[in-house]
Amino acid sequence: MTTGTAEFSKRLDQTAEDTEALLAKLLSDATESDEIVRPKRLIEAMRYSSLGGGKRLRPFLAVESAAVFGIPRESALLVGAALECIHCYSLIHDDLPAMDNSDLRRGRPTLHKAYDDATAILAGDALLTFAFDIITRDAIHRDAQVRLLLTRALARASGVGGMAGGQILDLAGEGRFGDREPVDVARLQQMKTGALLRFGCIAGAILGQASQKEYQALDDYGKALGEAFQIADDLLDVEGDAAALGKPAGADAALGKTTFVTQLGIDGAKQRVRDLLARADAALSVFGDRGDVLRAAARFVADRKN
């Protein structure tokens, strides 16, 4: 067993624990300078959707990609917390009746069910903007140029050419705006799901002021991992069960979504995952043993059950 495989679960759990503690601190009732007040209902809703659940894979990727370059863990955890705020906001909005209309998330009621639609919308908005409060903090890196590059990369991963753009392509493919529009599943995935996962990988390269070769390696790895993650998600929607997933299974089929499974079939999708794992492994070769934990992360993404 490689060091990366042996260490992976422990390090994933530790990052989840550290991210939870950091988010709990950042999302406290105490105001920051230039804030007037943190309304109780809003901060409670933000905490409801951000704390107490999730594997924290995205922060883990930020922490481990930064570790390749010897970046202080505290700096990478702040980047991971900003990324997790974006991810949690996206889940809140995806679950709304106007989007995926989900009642269950991580084994408990979605935010709009626990509170109401208006609170859910505002909590999502607040988490989105709070992410950029975090990502620009001086504690992340002494070089303002590095913080600027991180901020720009996170904005592009989250916005019109990234996650938000991917979401509207997904809705268009369902026929939400008239006739169903043709879906390029690989491109949709790269935007809706893959963009934030990829950011977690290139964040370490930005923090580490990596060479072009090192940056490209983590970029290639992040793209392969992101696609493998989405294919695994599509397979789980077909083969998984609601108890393990913490959300209803079969939701994609119910909404008529075009997925990797509908395009490639189950066997074809599983073969695509194996090919992507090989790509991810090859991309990390430039780092030698320093890439072992990231290699284990790719295998975890491919083999996960929820």
Side-chain angles (χ1 to χ4, degrees), residues 43 49 106 126 302-303:
I43 201 73
S49 291
R106 293 172 178 167
D303 296 338

Side-chain angles (χ1 to χ4, degrees), residues 51-63:
L51 303 179
K55 295 175 284 294
R56 311 297 191 189
L57 176 62
R58 291 156 189 81
F60 175 82
L61 291 171
V63 168

Side-chain angles (χ1 to χ4, degrees), residues 62-298:
V63 168
E64 293 300 336
S65 65
V68 170
F69 301 96
I71 297 299
R73 184 177 177 83
E74 295 75 14
S75 297
L77 280 168
L78 276 170
V79 174
L83 177 55
E84 192 69 359
C85 284
I86 296 283
H87 175 56
C88 292
Y89 122 74
S90 76
L91 299 182
I92 294 170
H93 282 192
D94 280 359
D95 289 337
L96 286 166
M99 302 279 267
D100 288 346
N101 194 25
S102 297
D103 295 343
L104 195 66
R105 170 72 65 180
R106 293 172 178 167
R108 61 179 182 168
T110 48
L111 184 60
H112 69 278
K113 287 294 183 181
Y115 287 77
D116 58 82
D117 289 7
T119 302
I121 292 168
L122 289 170
D125 292 346
L127 283 168
L128 169 60
T129 49
F130 193 52
F132 292 98
D133 178 322
I134 299 169
I135 201 73
T136 56
R137 295 190 180 194
D138 293 351
I140 285 179
H141 201 283
R142 66 179 181 274
D143 189 335
Q145 179 69 13
V146 170
R147 300 196 303 273
L148 172 64
L149 291 172
L150 284 168
T151 304
R152 182 186 298 160
L154 183 58
R156 289 182 177 173
S158 308
V160 63
M163 183 188 65
Q167 178 67 19
I168 203 163
L169 292 178
D170 198 17
L171 294 173
E174 293 173 22
R176 293 291 191 93
F177 315 119
D179 293 337
R180 290 180 186 271
E181 297 183 18
V183 173
D184 180 335
V185 175
R187 177 176 290 178
L188 187 155
Q189 171 280 320
Q190 191 177 6
M191 295 169 70
K192 182 180 176 182
T193 306
L196 291 187
L197 290 164
R198 171 181 172 266
F199 172 82
C201 300
I202 63 170
I206 296 171
L207 279 169
Q209 296 174 291
S211 68
Q212 182 58 39
K213 182 178 180 181
E214 292 168 328
Y215 179 96
Q216 191 62 54
L218 284 171
D219 193 7
D220 291 345
Y221 165 80
K223 289 174 180 175
L225 179 138
E227 186 171 329
F229 182 96
Q230 184 59 56
I231 296 173
D233 205 51
D234 292 348
L235 286 164
L236 283 170
D237 194 69
V238 174
E239 300 181 323
D241 66 87
L245 293 173
K247 60 182 180 179
D252 290 346
L255 292 169
K257 290 181 181 287
T258 302
T259 69
F260 280 104
V261 173
T262 63
Q263 288 203 337
L264 301 176
I266 291 176
D267 290 343
K270 290 180 178 179
Q271 181 58 52
R272 180 77 164 256
V273 170
R274 290 191 287 271
D275 294 342
L276 289 164
L277 286 179
R279 270 180 50 194
D281 185 66
L284 293 173
S285 62
V286 67
F287 300 114
D289 293 346
R290 288 180 295 152
D292 281 350
V293 175
L294 291 174
R295 289 187 184 89

